[in-house]
Amino acid sequence: MSEPPAFAVISGEQVHAAIGGREEQVTRMVEAAYRLHGEGRTVNPDSYFLRFPDRPSDRIIALPASVQGDVDVHGIKWISSFPGNVANGLPRASAVLILNDAETGYPFACLESSIISAARTAASAALAAAALADRRGARPRRVGFVGAGLIARYIHAYLVGNGFAFDAVGVHDLSHEHAEGFTGYLRRTGPGEFTIHDKAEDLIRSSDLVVFATVAGEPHVTDPRWFDHAPLVLHVSLRDLSPEIILSAYNVVDDVEHCLKANTSPHLAEQLTGGRDFVAGTLYDVLTGAAAPPADRPVIFSPFGLGVLDLAVARYVYDQVTASGELRTVPGFFHELKRYG
């Protein structure tokens, strides 16, 4: 009888040590996962949303996935989003991720995954920003963040880690305290011009790159004229923009089927028009040259967030922790291994 793999638990501290300061390297992992996905070498079923009738703003999401290639692993991320945590001094999201052996199906690791989730989200955004900006012929120098939480911080770090340099950074958040906190972080990262905008319109009109990283459940930005200067938009939180803005732009998604559901802004645009012609292509299409974003229209990247990206980063973390000799296994985790006792 073959032995099951040892089961390990990897802490958030270990995850941070494995990927902290490696923004460019993590982005290349995410790019490789996108390419495998585009080549049909992944399985990425629909996410499952656990919702609560008495707490409509809260949810826990299951993202199962499988990746071939060098990653060669199955797994699932289980991530909660409880926005009320923020008022109590806790991050909104918490997560764990299980890795399963590709040959036997046995789970072999449980990883703290809020850091992995934030890193893969930021790497996806930075990858898209670089690919789209380079295809348009110039990288933006003025960036604006709508939403000033942990994801915004990670996206800024990953943009800088992938070679972006900004002359001006704008911040808008419904909470002035959060906007001040994020701006304080930005000032600690280096010199520059940092501005807190009271109105989203002012931030958008003054930015060449706009990052939406909010917890919005429905569109709150509705006027296409705010985007007349043709910015690049990273619509990471997916539900900030009205269908009219989506329809006025050149739209790129990470996966069409995943992104056009659950009342995301692109899904609302599909419901309004009855079709998907407004989607120009996927990030894989941009990476392979099949899609060419224009310089004279707003370009919006809307990533639903694929479980295959989490698996790619988690497998790297597992391998790094193993190589360091600090992998913590749980002896006897699998007990009933004889069919008849």
Side-chain angles (χ1 to χ4, degrees), residues 40-73:
R41 301 178 65 193
T42 66
V43 180
N44 203 104
D46 288 343
S47 302
Y48 182 82
F49 288 71
L50 176 62
R51 298 185 184 277
F52 312 96
D54 59 332
R55 303 182 64 161
S57 65
D58 298 339
R59 64 193 184 196
I60 308 179
I61 313 170
L63 288 83
S66 176
V67 188
Q68 298 178 9
D70 293 337
V71 180
D72 193 30
V73 75

Side-chain angles (χ1 to χ4, degrees), residues 194-248:
F194 307 107
T195 305
I196 295 176
H197 295 272
D198 294 330
K199 298 179 179 179
E201 178 182 0
D202 296 339
L203 178 141
I204 292 167
R205 289 187 181 276
S206 64
S207 302
D208 306 314
L209 172 62
V210 183
V211 179
F212 285 94
T214 74
V215 294
E218 59 186 24
H220 56 95
V221 176
T222 59
D223 192 341
R225 293 175 297 179
W226 295 4
F227 301 84
D228 283 346
H229 57 300
L232 173 57
V233 180
L234 301 177
H235 187 208
V236 175
S237 37
L238 284 177
R239 295 173 177 84
D240 302 88
L241 305 177
S242 69
E244 291 76 15
I245 292 173
I246 295 292
L247 295 173
S248 70

Side-chain angles (χ1 to χ4, degrees), residues 96-299:
V96 294
L97 187 149
I98 300 293
L99 292 177
N100 293 74
D101 180 68
E103 186 65 28
T104 67
Y106 269 81
F108 63 88
C110 176
L111 300 89
E112 195 287 329
S113 197
S114 65
I115 297 171
I116 290 172
S117 189
R120 69 84 152 143
T121 299
S124 170
L127 173 65
L132 291 166
D134 292 347
R135 293 282 182 188
R136 295 177 97 194
R139 290 202 172 188
R141 304 286 302 186
R142 303 178 300 165
V143 63
F145 290 87
V146 182
L150 181 140
I151 296 298
R153 172 163 63 85
Y154 266 76
I155 291 174
H156 176 265
Y158 270 75
L159 288 169
V160 173
N162 281 275
F164 283 81
F166 301 112
D167 300 321
V169 182
V171 178
H172 170 73
D173 194 283
L174 294 179
S175 165
H176 189 74
E177 178 184 357
H178 295 166
E180 287 278 8
F182 183 46
T183 304
Y185 154 77
L186 292 170
R187 290 195 177 100
R188 293 193 298 273
T189 65
E193 177 185 327
F194 307 107
T195 305
I196 295 176
H197 295 272
D198 294 330
K199 298 179 179 179
E201 178 182 0
D202 296 339
L203 178 141
I204 292 167
R205 289 187 181 276
S206 64
S207 302
D208 306 314
L209 172 62
V210 183
V211 179
F212 285 94
T214 74
V215 294
E218 59 186 24
H220 56 95
V221 176
T222 59
D223 192 341
R225 293 175 297 179
W226 295 4
F227 301 84
D228 283 346
H229 57 300
L232 173 57
V233 180
L234 301 177
H235 187 208
V236 175
S237 37
L238 284 177
R239 295 173 177 84
D240 302 88
L241 305 177
S242 69
E244 291 76 15
I245 292 173
I246 295 292
L247 295 173
S248 70
Y250 182 93
N251 289 280
V252 176
V253 299
D254 56 354
D255 183 284
V256 176
E257 293 299 327
H258 286 279
C259 193
L260 272 67
K261 62 183 58 174
N263 287 329
T264 64
S265 295
H267 187 206
L268 296 179
E270 180 188 29
Q271 294 175 52
L272 182 64
T273 63
R276 298 178 169 183
D277 292 344
F278 61 89
V279 178
T282 65
L283 180 55
Y284 176 74
D285 294 328
V286 176
L287 293 172
T288 58
D296 59 353
R297 288 177 63 193
V299 174

